[in-house]
Amino acid sequence: MNYYGMWILMFIAGFLWLVLTRREANAGLMFLWGLEFEPAPVDFVFFGSWLKRIIKGDVKWSNNPLFYLLFVYILLNLVQIPLSISLQRAGFFALVTVYTISFAFYFSGYIKDYDTWNEVKRFYLIAVIISAMVLAVMILLLYLQGRLGRPAGFFKDPNVAGAFISTGALFAMTRILFGKREEIGKYLLMFLFLLISVVLTFSRGSFLNLLSGIGVIGLISIFVRRSKRFFIVLSIAVVIGLISVPFLLETFRQSFRFRGLQWYDIYGRAMAWRAGIEMLKNYPLGVGPGQFEIYSIDYQKSVGGPMLRLTPSAHSLYLRVLTENGLLGFGIFLVGLSVAIVFGIFELFRSLKSNEAKFQDIAWLLSSLVGILVQSFVIDTLHWRHFWIILGFMFGLVKLKNKTS
């Protein structure tokens, strides 16, 4: 497949969208499914979008305490650059961190009314659907060619592809449970399609993400007395899962991933985590942005033993922040995420009786955010674009008044 040709076409389309329209953010969201290359076309679009807003003097974001904490966390990363061993890597990593977190700032200010919110939501979900369709086509081609593997769509990593598609599945579930009765069939089909797409990534982390989000929606459904509908949908999903998942795992010979801990988990991922803990003991103030990969190798060698499989990656958002930004940075980051969850829950209850559509959207965003945060225990999600977009979506929506959308 000609990825380069696709990349060029996406870049041209994004550039024209950016220049010729006032809805430049839609182009970025629309192309979230095309992240095979770095930088991706979406990155050029959002860089241009920020530049356009700065020139127009339209640089605003939510006044929520979360954004003050994120701003302090960004400053801490920049301050730590000259204190790092590899200045080049530290500078690059810190700038990528600033860029990805800026999505939360961008969308919290970009969403000024319900029309804008419904528009960006639609383009985000279009990208999710395209990702799932591409992934399904790729798995079909693998099957027809007699090849094995884990399709990632146009993402670099199936773990990221699965997590991105999971947010769409959670959207569909909120509509099934809290939406109109006549739309249940449509969203049930959407949920099942996206559920199977997540399965096709064979990503344990994405399964954990999706199940955590479903758990949050289940709790909300019990609170609002929609538990009957929830358990019906859950039962349908379980039945389809019991039929399809074993078949797909065996067909593509991926069942070994779900038979307990793998050699890589024990002598790779776990050793990286153990190395991170040892690093923290020696560097409680942190080693600087992007430095985990440099420091952890020697630590892994010292604790790993003869079966060690060196894996420089932190494999955990929280471990990366803790070791690179220290106890102070980790505290700021953790308080910020806690603030996000608390405000999301508060807005969920506040909109329950006054704005049903907003309630459904907050339930979706909150469940998606929790799913990502749970997956972040075993995956480094710091630079996931859709993580910070979801956060920006939620706080852009939170600041809108509770009127009928």
Side-chain angles (χ1 to χ4, degrees), residues 141 259 299 343:
L141 291 175
R259 294 173 181 166
Y299 280 93
F343 271 85

Side-chain angles (χ1 to χ4, degrees), residues 38-90:
E38 302 286 352
V42 62
D43 298 320
F44 288 99
V45 172
F46 275 114
F47 179 80
S49 299
W50 265 120
L51 187 62
K52 192 173 179 180
R53 287 182 63 180
I54 291 171
I55 293 173
K56 292 168 60 178
D58 184 23
V59 182
K60 299 177 182 178
W61 51 73
S62 171
N63 200 34
N64 190 278
L66 165 68
F67 292 92
Y68 293 103
L69 291 167
L70 287 178
F71 185 72
V72 173
Y73 177 72
I74 286 172
L75 288 180
L76 178 62
N77 272 270
L78 298 178
V79 168
Q80 287 181 308
I81 292 175
L83 305 177
S84 304
I85 287 182
S86 173
L87 294 180
Q88 182 177 2
R89 177 168 174 79

Side-chain angles (χ1 to χ4, degrees), residues 18 118 148 170 196 222 248 259 264 285 297 319 334:
L18 178 68
N118 288 323
L148 304 176
L170 294 172
I196 295 299
I222 292 172
L248 292 171
R259 294 173 181 166
Y264 174 77
L285 297 180
I297 296 297
L319 185 64
L334 202 60

Side-chain angles (χ1 to χ4, degrees), residues 359-387:
F359 168 79
Q360 294 172 24
D361 288 331
I362 293 292
W364 164 47
L365 296 171
L366 185 61
S367 63
S368 296
L369 181 60
V370 170
I372 293 171
L373 294 180
V374 171
Q375 186 177 4
S376 296
F377 281 101
V378 294
I379 296 287
D380 180 9
T381 61
L382 183 62
H383 292 164
W384 283 13
R385 298 168 184 82
H386 75 270
F387 173 16

Side-chain angles (χ1 to χ4, degrees), residues 172 176 183-195:
I176 295 168
E183 294 184 331
I184 291 178
K186 175 179 69 175
Y187 286 115
L188 181 60
L189 290 175
M190 177 180 175
F191 172 75
L192 294 175
F193 170 63
L194 295 178
L195 173 64

Side-chain angles (χ1 to χ4, degrees), residues 80 280 283-288 322-328:
Q80 287 181 308
L280 179 65
Y283 302 96
L285 297 180
V287 296
L322 187 59
T323 55
E324 293 188 348
N325 305 121
L327 294 170
L328 175 61

